[in-house]
Amino acid sequence: MSTTITVTSAAELNQALSQATGGETILLAAGDYGKLSLNGTQFSSYVTIKSADPNVPASFSAVGLSQASNITFDTILFDYTASSGDPEHLSVFSVYNSSNVTFTNSVFDGDISSGTGTGTGLLINGSSNIDINNTEFKNWWKAVITVNTNGIDVTGNDIHSIRSDGLVFDNVDNIKVEQNYIHDFGGLAGSGDHRDMIQIQRANGSGSDNIIIRDNVFDMGQGDFTQTIWAGGDGKDTSNPNVQHKNLLIEGNVIYNGHLHGISLYGVDGLTIRKNTVLHVDDKTLTGSVEVPVINVSSDSQNVTITQNITSQILGHNGQAGWTVADNVLIKPTEYDQHFTYQATAQTDGYNQYVVKPGSPAALLSAGSDLANSISGTYFDWLNSNGHSGAGTPSQPNTPTNPPNIGSNPPPDTGGDQPATGGDQPTTGDDQPTTGDDQPTAGDDQPTAGDDQPTAGDDQPTAGDD
């Protein structure tokens, strides 16, 4: 029989956790509960740590899980305050070598005291069955890094105001990223920040398998241009089966951005890209082909299907055996008015929202994301209508430190040696991070919450990694 326990202090919380066996719900009165360390804490069934009043959530300044299992955090504020000298990659909220951990209806709030986000929102390493649902990540250097893990579900989250990468996966199998709103990233002036909304790496020397990226909205919004869905070579031979990613489905996503790499994947065996809408953020600011996102798959990929997408170009298909490329609609930004109705009522309503016109080529082929035609209000409304909302009311994104480059010069080609529109594919591995770059390795010592975090340069992706 489940038991509900109400606590009002960190000491009472620790006592409740020490006595829990499984099935308990521990309700936290409003307040700051400081640092929580759960090392070797394994319950027989889920123990839920939850705010007693979700409108006034309890908060933690650091949480560290190591060799823990069956734990849910619900309606919690994970609130990081930077100290002088904290490195960008510092991870005060971490899950190491743990299983069956859920974060739901919560907020991970970074620190913008220096004018921009710093730290990593959540670091997951060597774990299994991790769920991140209905949660907001804001004001971080990177939002979520997952390494050497099996089973992660990232559903219904609001990820915004990020300096660098949103979701990073390296040697992670069985990934689902679904119905998230990922938007309004902005770099720190002079930092060389490099932004990917989703990055699938192989810096640890292995590919990732069984990945679903489906029904998400990726929107540059009022932020800086980003690479949207990126899986580069990371300095590896992507024709090597051991480092190839396997069984990827990218389906039904809406992408509004101002960088060439809308969906760019290298070295994949078993790839389906279907019914995505990949559009330039605003044809009125078109200054060069680098701004127009495309679908780009390296020619050494195998068993590839690319169908019913809307984009400006599809690169990498040269008649290879085992590739099916059909029923896609290629539309240049200067042609958007012929194919779409613009329905956003204001910039904050999801900057773009282009709806396919009846009778257009895309309508006749049923091409593009169904989301583009079905969302009529704000993207926040869309998240909430699907039952996705964090602790409290979702906040509006901060104004980025750097505005988008929409002047006479195109944005810098941050990936290095990328193909010009209509040109050749980059060779495998061009300008990708070298072997072993800056990812946590399996078996690293586990930090306690907030203490003994890796020092600058230790085992974390550095700013500018592709």
Side-chain angles (χ1 to χ4, degrees):
M1 185 174 180
S2 62
T3 301
T4 299
I5 306 161
T6 299
V7 302
T8 61
S9 67
E12 291 180 5
L13 170 61
N14 288 329
Q15 181 179 11
L17 287 168
S18 69
Q19 296 174 349
T21 58
E24 292 87 353
T25 296
I26 303 174
L27 296 179
L28 279 59
D32 179 6
Y33 287 75
K35 299 177 180 180
L36 175 66
S37 294
L38 295 175
N39 299 320
T41 304
Q42 300 183 1
F43 301 112
S44 61
S45 59
Y46 276 95
V47 169
T48 298
I49 301 171
K50 182 177 182 178
S51 293
D53 182 354
N55 295 313
V56 189
S59 66
F60 291 99
S61 60
V63 173
L65 274 60
S66 178
Q67 297 181 332
S69 65
N70 293 322
I71 299 167
T72 293
F73 294 92
D74 189 348
T75 57
I76 300 296
L77 173 61
F78 299 91
D79 193 9
Y80 167 58
T81 300
S83 299
S84 177
D86 280 358
E88 290 174 325
H89 63 248
L90 184 67
S91 305
V92 297
F93 304 112
S94 61
V95 178
Y96 278 84
N97 299 330
S98 297
S99 62
N100 304 332
V101 178
T102 296
F103 301 90
T104 188
N105 304 317
S106 295
V107 175
F108 284 79
D109 191 359
D111 193 312
I112 57 170
S113 58
S114 61
T116 187
T118 191
T120 297
L122 180 61
L123 173 63
I124 302 163
N125 194 349
S127 297
S128 61
N129 299 327
I130 310 298
D131 290 348
I132 306 170
N133 303 322
N134 313 334
T135 289
E136 182 180 12
F137 289 82
K138 60 181 179 179
N139 306 326
W140 297 100
W141 176 57
K142 298 191 178 185
V144 180
I145 299 175
T146 305
V147 183
N148 303 331
T149 288
N150 183 12
I152 180 164
D153 185 320
V154 183
T155 300
N157 302 285
D158 178 16
I159 302 172
H160 66 92
S161 305
I162 306 299
R163 273 179 53 190
S164 183
D165 295 339
L167 303 174
V168 179
F169 304 104
D170 193 344
N171 190 30
V172 179
D173 296 339
N174 300 306
I175 300 168
K176 184 172 77 169
V177 179
E178 190 170 62
Q179 293 187 333
N180 300 282
Y181 180 26
I182 304 178
H183 60 107
D184 290 274
F185 285 25
L188 174 63
S191 69
D193 285 335
H194 177 90
R195 293 168 298 282
D196 302 90
M197 290 183 166
I198 294 180
Q199 180 168 189
I200 308 168
Q201 293 187 317
R202 52 195 121 210
N204 276 280
S206 176
S208 296
D209 300 346
N210 305 323
I211 302 169
I212 297 172
I213 301 173
R214 181 168 54 203
D215 293 345
N216 302 280
V217 174
F218 302 92
D219 190 359
M220 174 178 156
Q222 300 176 69
D224 293 345
F225 59 87
T226 73
Q227 297 183 169
T228 306
I229 301 174
W230 169 261
D234 298 315
K236 307 300 188 296
D237 176 6
T238 56
S239 66
N240 180 345
N242 293 324
V243 301
Q244 288 185 332
H245 304 306
K246 297 179 176 64
N247 301 327
L248 273 70
L249 171 63
I250 300 176
E251 176 181 44
N253 301 284
V254 173
I255 294 174
Y256 301 121
N257 225 310
H259 192 286
L260 175 71
H261 294 298
I263 300 173
S264 283
L265 307 170
Y266 293 72
V268 180
D269 184 358
L271 170 64
T272 298
I273 302 174
R274 67 186 178 211
K275 288 188 68 63
N276 300 281
T277 297
V278 183
L279 300 178
H280 182 256
V281 69
D282 184 354
D283 67 289
K284 297 180 181 65
T285 64
L286 180 62
T287 61
S289 61
V290 72
E291 283 194 14
V292 183
V294 304
I295 295 173
N296 171 33
V297 179
S298 69
S299 58
D300 62 0
S301 296
Q302 307 168 59
N303 303 310
V304 175
T305 299
I306 305 174
T307 57
Q308 293 179 283
N309 299 282
I310 298 174
T311 185
S312 62
Q313 286 201 72
I314 296 172
L315 303 178
H317 179 231
N318 298 307
Q320 301 94 321
W323 282 47
T324 299
V325 179
D327 295 336
N328 299 286
V329 179
L330 306 182
I331 305 174
K332 297 177 182 178
T334 54
E335 301 168 339
Y336 286 176
D337 288 346
Q338 303 170 37
H339 297 269
F340 304 112
T341 299
Y342 178 78
Q343 73 170 24
T345 57
Q347 198 170 40
T348 55
D349 283 345
Y351 205 107
N352 294 286
Q353 289 187 359
Y354 289 99
V355 175
V356 171
K357 288 183 176 180
S360 66
L364 295 174
L365 290 173
S366 189
S369 170
D370 292 337
L371 293 178
N373 290 347
S374 63
I375 299 174
S376 58
T378 71
Y379 291 137
F380 295 114
D381 292 340
W382 166 67
L383 279 178
N384 292 333
S385 68
N386 287 302
H388 307 316
S389 60
T393 302
S395 60
Q396 296 296 325
N398 297 309
T399 301
T401 305
N402 280 352
N405 182 354
I406 57 175
S408 57
N409 296 319
D413 194 351
T414 54
D417 294 311
Q418 305 303 340
T421 303
D424 295 331
Q425 288 294 316
T427 55
T428 302
D430 274 359
D431 297 303
Q432 305 305 330
T434 54
T435 302
D437 271 1
D438 303 321
Q439 289 291 336
T441 54
D444 283 349
D445 293 335
Q446 314 309 329
T448 54
D451 296 331
D452 299 313
Q453 297 296 336
T455 55
D458 280 354
D459 298 321
Q460 293 292 334
T462 55
D465 281 354
D466 290 336

